[in-house]
Amino acid sequence: RHSVKKLCDLYLIGTRDDKEDETHKVQVWYLKQFTAKFGHREPTTLKVHEVTSWLDGTATWGKSTRALVIIIVKAVFNWATNE
């Protein structure tokens, strides 16, 4: 079984050729923030309320940034489901 960190790494590698450099860099940066908190976890143990609580603790991120992070994280998990 993969950790959340490994899953995010596999996503970034597996989708690298499908996106622009800047998009990839943004995803790398935000997923680093995400995995700093949840990277050690098994993906199936992660709960929505935990991610929401983490996002609530990122006081410098506005609503659009939080929405972007949610989109990126969902993309990782959707990608993994389809792989």
Side-chain angles (χ1 to χ4, degrees), residues 1-10 30-47 50-51 54 73 76-77:
R1 298 211 171 187
H2 295 306
S3 66
V4 168
K5 168 91 169 79
K6 181 67 174 179
L7 191 66
C8 289
D9 289 345
L10 290 172
Y30 285 114
L31 288 174
K32 280 184 181 180
Q33 312 312 305
F34 180 69
T35 58
K37 176 70 175 176
F38 300 110
H40 66 287
R41 300 273 299 274
E42 186 177 315
T44 57
T45 68
L46 203 56
K47 304 294 182 201
E50 294 173 308
V51 177
W54 168 70
V73 170
V76 171
F77 283 87

Side-chain angles (χ1 to χ4, degrees), residues 20-81:
E20 298 293 327
D21 288 345
E22 190 59 31
T23 300
H24 179 75
K25 287 177 188 175
V26 167
Q27 289 182 342
V28 167
W29 195 87
Y30 285 114
L31 288 174
K32 280 184 181 180
Q33 312 312 305
F34 180 69
T35 58
K37 176 70 175 176
F38 300 110
H40 66 287
R41 300 273 299 274
E42 186 177 315
T44 57
T45 68
L46 203 56
K47 304 294 182 201
V48 172
H49 71 88
E50 294 173 308
V51 177
T52 301
S53 179
W54 168 70
L55 285 169
D56 289 345
T58 57
T60 60
W61 293 358
K63 288 182 182 181
S64 61
T65 300
R66 292 175 194 204
L68 174 62
V69 173
I70 291 168
I71 289 168
I72 294 169
V73 170
K74 283 183 176 182
V76 171
F77 283 87
N78 287 337
W79 175 86
T81 300

